[in-house]
Amino acid sequence: MAPTRSKMIVITIVALFLLSGTWWTLLRVSPESESVYAPNKAKPSDSIAQLPQKESVQNPTAEVLSKRVVEYHLDVSLDPNEKVLKGSETLTWTHPGKNTVTELYFHLYPNAFSSTDTTFMKESGGKLRNDVMPTDGFGSMTLTGLETTDGLSLMHRIQYVQPDDGNSKDTSLVKVRLPRPVKGGESITLNMKFEVKLPQIFARMGTAGNFVMAGQWFPKISVYEPAGLRGRTTEGWNLHQYHGNSEFYADFGIYNVRIHVPENYIVAATGFPIKSAQIVKGQKIYQFYADDVHDFAWSASPDFIVAEKPFSSQEVPGVRIKLYLDPVHKDMKERYFYAAEVALKNFSKWYGPYPYSTLSIVVPPEAGNGAGGMEYPNLITAFGAKNDSPGYELERTVIHEIGHQYFYGMIASNEFEEAWLDEGFTSYAEDKLMEQEFGIIPNLPVQAAIISPATLTQEAWKYGSQDQYAQNVYYRGKLVLKGIERQVGNQMMNKIMAAYTKKYRFGHPTTHDFQKVVEQVTHTSWKTYFNQYVYGKQMTDFSIDNITVQEKISSSGTVFESNVTVSRKDGNYPNIPLLFTFADGHTLQKVWNGAGDSTQFRLQYKSPLSWAMIDPQYSLVLENKYINNYLKADLDVKKVSRWNISVTKLMETLLGSLSW
């Protein structure tokens, strides 16, 4: 019996899964030299002891790449037994607008984990990806001091605010009323003291045993947007709480950070050490510096196996790649180095040079997997080390997170409001590089099929679930880019991406900014495309609605006239390919230009039409309703048997069309 449409979609999806493997190339290992070292076991001492230099020490350069709105001087101590950070912060903020400001706003991100009543916990249900909040794993941040440079305390001037949902139990955003106004162009400096009770890791930050991931760990000033930035007509603060789906948005600046840890701990961090770590009274003290970044993260563990390697290419003047491996992955350093090298080389070629002198890769232990697969400036985390023979997800994760160094790190769009500009673009770049270097081709039809579409320009927390958020900002976002590429070609798409990343480097662009670049490079309006697939929530949906076959006898013999009705159920798309297969095995390919809501194909041939299929090569990347792409002609059973077309033949044809 010929498969029905519902059976065909099941067969199609199964076939797609079976064929998603493709060919994988072997990893190449660079023969360049590298240094490897294990935790230093220096003896406790009350005097200052200079440690043997294990990491390269560097000095800041004079080059300024961004508008340095903020300058942080941070000093933090880790108590590994109590799982507590105690820190001091001196922040200098330079007003980037024109209007007088009488209050500042700060993100206190660790407070997202203070109870089950916070906005983050209520929206996420205490889950992120496959990790779950432990029952006793809560953490929080407490401001213990806040004052001006002349010693005036502002502690009585703070107020927790909840601009997104009015949840009074959420303390992830705080307002500070200033004792004097700050005019446009002026700077203000505040001194703070704070404590962080680190949560058990399930969402990006916290502890797992003796492993620490300090991400979003200090009071961080919100972004004040001048008129013109990100399309604003009037200047003002961009204020959001910490949500279950959202990530982050901040201004570029300078970070000077001292980190105190037990002497047997090793620290990985944003930026680079400006002097070798020292031992003081049983503590190891690191000092890191970073500029032209919008965040600072660090990780610490006594178990890290560390490897460091210089890398340069035509596109990368010079960068030190630093690995901080969980012992389970101690023999994986060549794979990590290779993935990092090809990512830096190719992304710098495609999207502009990597401008920083270091890139650190932290591999958490399995118990700290909730901190894995995350990006920070100059520092990324891989997924937790579960075994000593990981698959290609090792390389994929490293490549994806290094891609974030460009779209999150340097371009720095607002991930609260337009997450696809980071996640979708990074996923697009990841797929491109994984195919080029490892022969791994993404199964785009399956990814498209699972999408429940929503607009890409809504706030991250307004998606119905974590699944819908991921389906859209990761999958649908990259498919939108892939859809542009399929229409303009690889060469033109490369020009689009290069123009966008060059123009908005350190620029905080919007979706509309990207659209303008697409239109400028292609000299074509993309208004309809963006309205449907970016600002709107459409996917393509083309359907074969009806097939009729009539036998006609003439003086020249018998011919069969087949009429096929094809319609558009959802979004527009040009040049829709169709495959017509006749009973004798003859095939015919046609293209519908996509104009109008429907069209009809009239075919005359010596054999009747057996079946028709839209997009047999699955080139319409935004199509997600494949169930109506195929239809079999309603023919007499005896005639079908005489023409010897079978389910087996159909599957051979279908599978052949799906091989990529």
Side-chain angles (χ1 to χ4, degrees):
M1 184 173 70
T4 63
R5 280 187 170 179
S6 59
K7 290 183 180 178
M8 275 302 302
I9 190 60
V10 173
I11 293 170
T12 301
I13 296 299
V14 171
L16 288 166
F17 276 116
L18 291 174
L19 291 165
S20 62
T22 71
W23 304 272
W24 292 346
T25 58
L26 294 175
L27 282 172
R28 292 169 286 169
V29 180
S30 173
E32 295 181 37
S33 62
E34 58 202 43
S35 60
V36 181
Y37 58 95
N40 189 295
K41 300 185 182 297
K43 295 179 181 180
S45 172
D46 289 340
S47 62
I48 296 177
Q50 190 74 30
L51 293 175
Q53 183 174 321
K54 298 298 185 181
E55 295 183 292
S56 55
V57 174
Q58 299 170 249
N59 294 314
T61 65
E63 186 178 15
V64 177
L65 302 175
S66 68
K67 295 179 180 178
R68 297 176 177 179
V69 175
V70 293
E71 182 174 339
Y72 289 93
H73 293 265
L74 293 153
D75 193 295
V76 61
S77 297
L78 167 67
D79 183 336
N81 297 320
E82 298 297 324
K83 313 296 185 185
V84 167
L85 302 179
K86 292 186 178 181
S88 63
E89 171 178 329
T90 298
L91 164 75
T92 298
W93 177 74
T94 301
H95 187 349
K98 297 179 179 180
N99 297 341
T100 298
V101 166
T102 59
E103 54 200 24
L104 302 182
Y105 292 83
F106 291 88
H107 295 285
L108 309 184
Y109 286 115
N111 282 340
F113 312 113
S114 61
S115 77
T116 57
D117 295 323
T118 70
T119 295
F120 183 97
M121 293 294 287
K122 290 173 71 174
E123 291 178 352
S124 68
K127 300 178 182 179
L128 189 66
R129 295 186 292 215
N130 294 321
D131 296 286
V132 179
M133 175 74 163
T135 55
D136 57 348
F138 293 101
S140 61
M141 171 182 279
T142 302
L143 283 175
T144 57
L146 175 60
E147 61 184 30
T148 63
T149 52
D150 56 6
L152 177 64
S153 175
L154 305 181
M155 290 295 290
H156 63 292
R157 292 173 173 264
I158 66 174
Q159 176 187 355
Y160 295 109
V161 293
Q162 303 84 19
D164 297 325
D165 64 0
N167 176 13
S168 62
K169 300 293 182 65
D170 188 82
T171 56
S172 63
L173 185 66
V174 67
K175 176 173 68 175
V176 180
R177 290 181 292 106
L178 299 175
R180 66 168 182 84
V182 181
K183 297 179 181 179
E186 290 185 343
S187 297
I188 182 172
T189 299
L190 297 178
N191 296 319
M192 305 182 197
K193 293 185 182 299
F194 62 94
E195 292 187 8
V196 177
K197 177 68 173 71
L198 292 165
Q200 291 188 43
I201 293 174
F202 87 100
R204 302 187 181 98
M205 71 165 295
T207 64
N210 56 19
F211 170 80
V212 174
M213 185 67 231
Q216 310 300 330
W217 56 279
F218 58 94
K220 187 175 178 183
I221 195 166
S222 300
V223 177
Y224 188 92
E225 297 180 323
L229 181 66
R230 298 184 57 254
R232 287 193 75 131
T233 55
T234 58
E235 64 183 74
W237 291 99
N238 187 272
L239 300 175
H240 298 297
Q241 300 152 240
Y242 194 1
H243 291 272
N245 287 335
S246 70
E247 293 187 25
F248 312 105
Y249 174 47
D251 276 316
F252 289 97
I254 295 172
Y255 288 83
N256 184 28
V257 183
R258 285 207 306 175
I259 303 170
H260 307 247
V261 293
E263 63 180 296
N264 63 331
Y265 272 62
I266 289 175
V267 171
T270 293
F272 51 84
I274 55 177
K275 60 182 178 181
S276 296
Q278 298 177 322
I279 297 294
V280 181
K281 296 182 179 180
Q283 278 198 322
K284 187 187 294 184
I285 303 173
Y286 288 84
Q287 186 157 358
F288 290 91
Y289 175 87
D291 52 27
D292 300 310
V293 297
H294 52 73
D295 199 4
F296 187 99
W298 58 277
S299 182
S301 172
D303 299 327
F304 282 145
I305 305 296
V306 183
E308 183 175 315
K309 182 178 180 181
F311 173 73
S312 64
S313 69
Q314 184 176 350
E315 298 79 17
V316 183
V319 59
R320 298 197 70 85
I321 304 171
K322 302 180 180 184
L323 303 183
Y324 299 83
L325 301 172
D326 181 84
V328 174
H329 278 194
K330 67 183 187 316
D331 297 325
M332 299 289 121
K333 62 181 184 298
E334 292 86 358
R335 291 179 63 179
Y336 282 105
F337 277 133
Y338 180 71
E341 288 168 1
V342 297
L344 286 170
K345 176 183 176 180
N346 287 282
F347 292 157
S348 292
K349 181 179 179 180
W350 300 341
Y351 311 127
Y354 182 78
Y356 306 109
S357 59
T358 59
L359 174 68
S360 296
I361 302 171
V362 173
V363 182
E366 181 178 3
N369 193 49
M374 188 58 193
E375 70 280 358
Y376 306 93
N378 312 161
L379 183 148
I380 66 170
T381 60
F383 274 115
K386 296 183 179 181
N387 57 64
D388 59 2
S389 58
Y392 275 82
E393 287 306 301
L394 182 155
E395 286 79 11
R396 180 180 293 279
T397 302
V398 171
I399 285 170
H400 181 90
E401 303 310 332
I402 292 177
H404 279 303
Q405 295 298 307
Y406 296 82
F407 299 104
Y408 151 83
M410 283 177 270
I411 294 174
S413 51
N414 185 335
E415 288 196 83
F416 288 117
E417 298 178 4
E418 296 178 284
W420 87 284
L421 288 176
D422 176 36
E423 298 296 355
F425 281 60
T426 298
S427 297
Y428 171 84
E430 166 206 327
D431 280 357
K432 185 176 179 180
L433 191 55
M434 288 299 292
E435 179 177 354
Q436 173 183 299
E437 294 297 325
F438 304 102
I440 299 175
I441 302 175
N443 206 320
L444 300 181
V446 170
Q447 293 175 6
I450 66 172
I451 293 173
S452 174
T455 174
L456 296 177
T457 53
Q458 68 180 339
E459 291 93 339
W461 58 93
K462 292 186 178 178
Y463 291 92
S465 64
Q466 288 183 1
D467 285 344
Q468 192 186 39
Y469 169 79
Q471 291 166 14
N472 283 274
V473 302
Y474 288 81
Y475 289 152
R476 190 160 166 270
K478 77 173 179 182
L479 293 177
V480 164
L481 299 179
K482 197 70 177 175
I484 297 172
E485 177 193 292
R486 290 281 170 90
Q487 295 180 62
V488 303
N490 289 332
Q491 186 175 3
M492 182 63 74
M493 189 63 182
N494 291 342
K495 290 181 179 179
I496 291 170
M497 297 296 286
Y500 171 68
T501 51
K502 180 180 180 180
K503 182 173 183 178
Y504 291 106
R505 196 173 175 88
F506 303 101
H508 305 300
T510 63
T511 297
H512 186 63
D513 292 325
F514 176 65
Q515 180 184 345
K516 286 192 294 185
V517 170
V518 176
E519 294 177 338
Q520 290 165 359
V521 173
T522 62
H523 304 290
T524 304
S525 172
W526 286 80
K527 181 178 179 181
T528 299
Y529 185 88
F530 273 75
N531 283 347
Q532 291 182 108
Y533 303 122
V534 179
Y535 307 117
K537 55 181 181 180
Q538 292 180 256
M539 299 283 281
T540 60
D541 180 16
F542 295 98
S543 171
I544 297 179
D545 296 329
N546 186 51
I547 298 176
T548 61
V549 180
Q550 288 185 326
E551 182 177 354
K552 293 188 175 182
I553 300 174
S554 66
S555 58
S556 59
T558 301
V559 297
F560 292 86
E561 183 176 281
S562 304
N563 289 280
V564 181
T565 303
V566 181
S567 68
R568 177 177 60 84
K569 307 295 185 185
D570 206 348
N572 291 313
Y573 203 89
N575 302 325
I576 315 304
L578 293 102
L579 175 67
F580 303 97
T581 299
F582 296 86
D584 64 356
H586 175 69
T587 61
L588 179 65
Q589 296 185 44
K590 294 275 190 180
V591 175
W592 176 31
N593 63 11
D597 293 332
S598 66
T599 191
Q600 189 173 83
F601 292 87
R602 180 173 296 178
L603 313 171
Q604 289 191 340
Y605 183 63
K606 64 181 181 180
S607 180
L609 184 68
S610 181
W611 54 269
M613 185 175 184
I614 295 172
D615 191 26
Q617 298 298 321
Y618 291 85
S619 61
L620 304 179
V621 293
L622 288 165
E623 176 77 26
N624 76 333
K625 294 183 180 178
Y626 300 104
I627 193 170
N628 57 12
N629 282 22
Y630 168 87
L631 188 64
K632 193 178 187 304
D634 186 14
L635 300 175
D636 180 80
V637 175
K638 293 181 181 179
K639 290 183 179 179
V640 171
S641 64
R642 285 203 307 269
W643 293 325
N644 198 29
I645 183 74
S646 65
V647 174
T648 302
K649 182 65 176 177
L650 175 61
M651 282 303 300
E652 289 175 357
T653 305
L654 177 61
L655 291 174
S657 73
L658 296 177
S659 298
W660 62 81

